[in-house]
Amino acid sequence: MSSRSVAVFLVCLVVVACRETPLSWQHGNLQVSVNDKLHVAVRSADEQAGPLTTGTAATEYIVTTIDTLRDFRVDKKESHAFSDDAGVGTQWVIQGVADSPDQKIRKVVTVKVYSHFPDLMLLQAAYVNEGDKPLGIRQWVNHHYSISPVQDTVVGWSFQGESTGERRDWVLPLKPGFYQRNYMGMNNSDYGGGIPVTDVWHADQGLAVGHVALEPRLVELPVAVDAAGETIVQVSKTYEQPYALVPGDTLRTDETFVLIHRGDYYTALKQYGTLLQARGLVFPEPEEGAFEASWCAWGYMRDVTLDEIRGTFPKVKSLGIKWVTIDDGFQQAEGDWHVNTQKFPGGDAQMKTLVDEIHAQGMKAMLWWAPLAADSGSQLLRVHPDLRLINAGGKPQQITWWDAWYMSPGYTGTLNHTKETVDLFMRQWGFDGLKMDGQHMNAVPPDYNTHLGGTDPEQAVRDLPRFFDTIWQEAKQINPHAVIQNCPCGTCMSVFNMPYMNQAVASDPLNSWQVRLKGRAYKALIGKTAYFGDHVELSDGRSDFASSFGIGAVLGTKFTWPKENPAVKEDNLLTPEKEQLWKKWFMLYHRKMLSKAPYRGELYTLGYDLPETHVVQKGDTLHYAFYSDRWDGAVELRGLEDKVYTVRDYVNNVTLGEVSRANPTLPVTFTQHLLLEAYPR
């Protein structure tokens, strides 16, 4: 958009806003209106789509210890153009009052739209106590919208960025009676954080809400579906103890957003990620090494021996795999990261020798690590008990999975220990990359440890990304091409930790569906990224390479060979039959390298375009991946230019026919998956 067109855009918005009562304006397809009770309603102007939201109601309000304040009599309004790091736009400030004999509260709503972010609006509400008595506030709510149902057994599809011990799907169908809180704080002892976005979409359009702070916030983004199929979404903060709003004091909500869009959560997360980057959250470019296939010794589990690791090298190398990961079990304890001499009799020097052997084989070495965790009986905590994070109950916060304690992420002692550990791993032992692992990495609770000097306990929540920045900076200083993998097992990875890694991971997927839906989210948020589909043994049938391959994920495996450790199931053994399959897919991966190519997530809407379809475009060739238990019918190949394309099943080397933009459909029959390439004739 030119500077002149931006200026015209801003003038038009301001004129409409100033002459209309109630206020109303349009930004892209987003229609906004503010009535005399200071209710901010949003609608879609897309004439090709059905109704999106229902009715006009209070969208921003507070819940007090006395009642719920929804209606505020508008008495002031103004608008002006603005410019900041994210671009140029228009800002409205609208004020209203709710008063009674017992209280007087002023509400100030600030709304912003950016010219380069159509269909998206930012909002922040402030509540000022203009009365003479204190007021207890239990909750504030922004963007409380009712989304119209559709006539279907599924009333919509949704992206919900919560993390819990259930390790639920990030993408869920919505049905009457559905509810999920989507709290961004701790939901279980080890689980919390996530992506602070809720998106609900129908076949023709969707609506997303979330917060736009550049660090974690303890908010919730609940989704509820009533018996009639109407879906309620909002962004809110609930106080465990009422917030005391004394006379003259102001409570400000977090800055939040609403976005309407076509397509599914890919479209919403891409816009959200672009906005975060425009506001200062920087996602690093991936290293070339992050796209190379990986083998992990976790197939042997914690009882792995040096001989088993070394004995697997020939088979790893024969498959063209470039990374060898030494997993959990090498250390003395979580927190005591020097080697266990029962496993490495030669001490730390023997670990360095192992890394040298990996390098001599022409491969790279990655080391598993659980940062921020220290066993209760570790030497580290015996000497430095002050490193522990203390929860609201006055006790160390447990990491149940390892029976360990959280360390305070912003504490100088924790940061110094962490830097020393990275130096041990990468400078002294020579590892090329780090596999940071554990669901506990995704979030921390407020820290009440006295070493913080009486600062806000929630500062620990905000400090967590800076903890990972410390690791990132230290690792990159030692090895500028280091691959830093963040694998928060089973969680929806916190978007605020993403700037401090260069390889995202499916992180213990429960099935192939999760491999695909997680990859779609990362590719939307970050853009160009190396996404590791995790060990193929975690996919359906323990061998679904197609799910990683079809969405452009890096391939990985944890096979064991030539014999099994007695503690490990036979499932990991690379039998001669499995070896042929593994060889086929890894050879295909190295030839195609779709993990480096752009992902075209905007072409199909998940949940409505069947079969489930993903597209990766490499040059002028489009690679389509179709997934279904069974499919017998036509598929539509979208994204074609005005050319005739030859379509080939590149896995089985079978040509299926030709398509064009005018005639993009093709009859096919498959079970589980079908991977096709379409290239100009």
Side-chain angles (χ1 to χ4, degrees):
M1 185 181 290
S2 68
S3 59
R4 181 179 181 277
S5 61
V6 168
V8 172
F9 162 83
L10 295 176
V11 169
C12 290
L13 282 176
V14 172
V15 168
V16 171
C18 293
R19 76 187 182 193
E20 295 288 339
T21 303
L23 295 178
S24 63
W25 64 87
Q26 183 170 329
H27 180 47
N29 281 324
L30 177 66
Q31 290 182 332
V32 184
S33 62
V34 184
N35 67 14
D36 57 4
K37 295 181 180 180
L38 228 174
H39 299 171
V40 182
V42 300
R43 295 178 178 81
S44 173
D46 190 343
E47 295 181 355
Q48 299 179 6
L52 183 63
T53 56
T54 60
T56 299
T59 49
E60 287 73 39
Y61 57 88
I62 53 174
V63 179
T64 76
T65 54
I66 301 172
D67 56 9
T68 299
L69 299 180
R70 290 187 171 90
D71 301 335
F72 294 80
R73 185 179 64 259
V74 173
D75 61 3
K76 295 180 182 179
K77 53 191 175 184
E78 61 182 60
S79 63
H80 63 271
F82 76 94
S83 175
D84 61 22
D85 291 343
V88 298
T90 300
Q91 175 176 290
W92 290 262
V93 180
I94 310 154
Q95 301 188 35
V97 174
D99 52 10
S100 68
D102 295 324
Q103 61 188 12
K104 181 179 181 181
I105 302 296
R106 175 168 294 276
K107 177 181 178 181
V108 183
V109 174
T110 302
V111 174
K112 296 192 295 188
V113 297
Y114 288 98
S115 60
H116 291 296
F117 291 92
D119 310 323
L120 185 147
M121 176 183 78
L122 275 61
L123 182 147
Q124 185 175 40
Y127 299 91
V128 186
N129 188 346
E130 294 186 342
D132 56 8
K133 298 178 181 178
L135 183 66
I137 297 180
R138 296 189 183 278
Q139 184 186 54
W140 60 256
V141 176
N142 285 357
H143 304 299
H144 181 98
Y145 302 125
S146 298
I147 301 175
S148 304
V150 293
Q151 301 302 314
D152 200 348
T153 55
V154 174
V155 300
W157 281 81
S158 63
F159 172 89
Q160 304 185 56
E162 182 184 63
S163 299
T164 74
E166 295 179 39
R167 301 190 175 190
R168 288 190 290 266
D169 293 345
W170 306 357
V171 175
L172 295 164
L174 297 176
K175 297 182 179 181
F178 178 93
Y179 175 79
Q180 186 163 302
R181 185 186 180 198
N182 295 314
Y183 179 49
M184 293 293 108
M186 299 299 293
N187 293 300
N188 303 105
S189 62
D190 302 21
Y191 292 84
I195 299 171
V197 173
T198 289
D199 185 32
V200 174
W201 66 91
H202 298 159
D204 50 9
Q205 62 183 328
L207 181 145
V209 298
H211 82 69
V212 293
L214 300 185
E215 55 189 14
R217 292 286 191 267
L218 298 182
V219 299
E220 58 238 347
L221 300 96
V223 178
V225 184
D226 67 16
E230 189 169 297
T231 303
I232 306 296
V233 299
Q234 67 184 40
V235 183
S236 53
K237 180 177 178 68
T238 302
Y239 297 93
E240 291 186 11
Q241 298 296 326
Y243 179 92
L245 191 66
V246 300
D249 195 9
T250 300
L251 170 68
R252 288 181 173 84
T253 72
D254 292 320
E255 190 171 24
T256 54
F257 78 90
V258 58
L259 164 71
I260 62 166
H261 63 90
R262 279 189 169 271
D264 59 33
Y265 71 106
Y266 175 86
T267 308
L269 291 184
K270 186 174 183 179
Q271 183 88 311
Y272 171 66
T274 303
L275 178 62
L276 291 184
Q277 293 179 76
R279 291 165 68 90
L281 202 69
V282 179
F283 301 122
E285 289 289 317
E287 287 290 334
E288 281 295 305
F291 294 103
E292 294 173 329
S294 172
W295 172 81
C296 183
W298 186 239
Y300 294 110
M301 303 192 77
R302 288 187 179 93
D303 293 329
V304 63
T305 66
L306 277 171
D307 287 343
E308 286 170 330
I309 293 174
R310 290 177 172 134
T312 316
F313 288 169
K315 196 60 64 177
V316 173
K317 191 173 180 179
S318 72
L319 293 173
I321 294 172
K322 294 297 185 182
W323 282 96
V324 170
T325 299
I326 308 303
D327 212 285
D328 187 7
F330 71 88
Q331 72 279 13
Q332 297 169 9
E334 275 73 51
D336 298 340
W337 294 108
H338 290 275
V339 299
N340 181 341
T341 54
Q342 291 184 348
K343 187 167 295 184
F344 292 82
D348 287 0
Q350 194 165 20
M351 178 65 90
K352 185 181 186 308
T353 298
L354 178 62
V355 173
D356 291 343
E357 291 177 17
I358 293 170
H359 290 159
Q361 295 280 342
M363 298 182 291
K364 299 182 177 73
M366 181 173 285
L367 185 65
W368 173 93
W369 179 31
L372 206 66
D375 288 348
S376 56
S378 64
Q379 177 69 15
L380 176 70
L381 292 187
R382 282 198 295 270
V383 177
H384 299 289
D386 54 309
L387 299 182
R388 298 175 302 175
L389 185 151
I390 303 300
N391 60 30
K395 297 181 179 180
Q397 179 69 27
Q398 187 182 33
I399 302 172
T400 307
W401 189 261
W402 286 299
D403 191 21
W405 303 124
Y406 275 91
M407 294 189 289
S408 295
Y411 181 41
T412 302
T414 300
L415 297 177
N416 288 340
H417 161 75
T418 301
K419 289 179 182 179
E420 292 169 0
T421 303
V422 174
D423 185 86
L424 173 68
F425 293 163
M426 302 194 70
R427 193 188 306 277
Q428 298 178 42
W429 291 351
F431 278 93
D432 308 287
L434 298 175
K435 174 187 176 179
M436 302 188 298
D437 189 55
Q439 61 274 5
H440 71 285
M441 299 192 304
N442 215 46
V444 298
D447 187 3
Y448 293 82
N449 198 319
T450 55
H451 66 243
L452 296 176
T455 58
D456 178 8
E458 287 190 17
Q459 184 61 44
V461 177
R462 301 188 289 272
D463 279 341
L464 185 59
R466 285 184 279 275
F467 171 82
F468 288 106
D469 185 25
T470 297
I471 296 172
W472 174 259
Q473 297 297 338
E474 187 72 11
K476 284 293 185 176
Q477 183 180 0
I478 296 170
N479 180 354
H481 299 293
V483 173
I484 307 301
Q485 184 185 109
N486 195 312
C487 184
C489 312
T491 70
C492 183
M493 183 181 176
S494 170
V495 68
F496 309 107
N497 297 339
M498 293 181 189
Y500 312 114
M501 57 145 200
N502 52 18
Q503 189 179 63
V505 193
S507 62
D508 285 358
L510 299 180
N511 48 50
S512 295
W513 160 247
Q514 287 194 351
V515 173
R516 302 193 296 268
L517 67 88
K518 291 179 180 185
R520 190 171 176 84
Y522 285 121
K523 289 172 181 289
L525 274 171
I526 302 175
K528 183 181 180 182
T529 183
Y531 170 63
F532 177 41
D534 216 323
H535 312 140
V536 71
E537 290 83 0
L538 296 172
S539 67
D540 293 350
R542 302 178 62 84
S543 60
D544 182 14
F545 286 97
S547 280
S548 285
F549 204 101
I551 61 165
V554 179
L555 294 192
T557 178
K558 59 177 180 178
F559 69 80
T560 59
W561 182 88
K563 66 180 183 65
E564 282 284 278
N565 180 312
V568 180
K569 297 178 181 178
E570 275 190 29
D571 292 337
N572 293 330
L573 183 61
L574 190 68
T575 63
E577 294 77 17
K578 287 172 66 175
E579 183 177 351
Q580 293 305 308
L581 182 64
W582 262 237
K583 185 173 294 185
K584 174 181 178 179
W585 282 103
F586 279 103
M587 288 179 62
L588 192 62
Y589 176 77
H590 298 137
R591 187 170 79 245
K592 287 283 190 180
M593 291 305 294
L594 297 186
S595 57
K596 292 185 178 181
Y599 176 78
R600 300 291 305 278
E602 78 282 3
L603 293 177
Y604 295 86
T605 299
L606 209 64
Y608 292 98
D609 289 328
L610 301 178
E612 176 193 340
T613 308
H614 303 264
V615 183
V616 176
Q617 183 166 355
K618 186 176 181 181
D620 59 2
T621 301
L622 289 93
H623 296 80
Y624 297 84
F626 301 100
Y627 303 97
S628 178
D629 290 341
R630 177 166 178 80
W631 185 265
D632 186 3
V635 293
E636 180 183 358
L637 278 62
R638 298 177 184 172
L640 304 174
E641 297 182 0
D642 192 16
K643 303 173 182 178
V644 176
Y645 290 78
T646 299
V647 181
R648 192 172 71 96
D649 172 351
Y650 60 83
V651 176
N652 298 301
N653 197 23
V654 176
T655 299
L656 300 182
E658 292 183 339
V659 294
S660 64
R661 179 187 293 174
N663 186 19
T665 59
L666 194 72
V668 296
T669 299
F670 67 88
T671 57
Q672 304 307 323
H673 62 262
L674 176 65
L675 305 185
L676 305 177
E677 62 181 5
Y679 52 89
R681 186 174 62 186

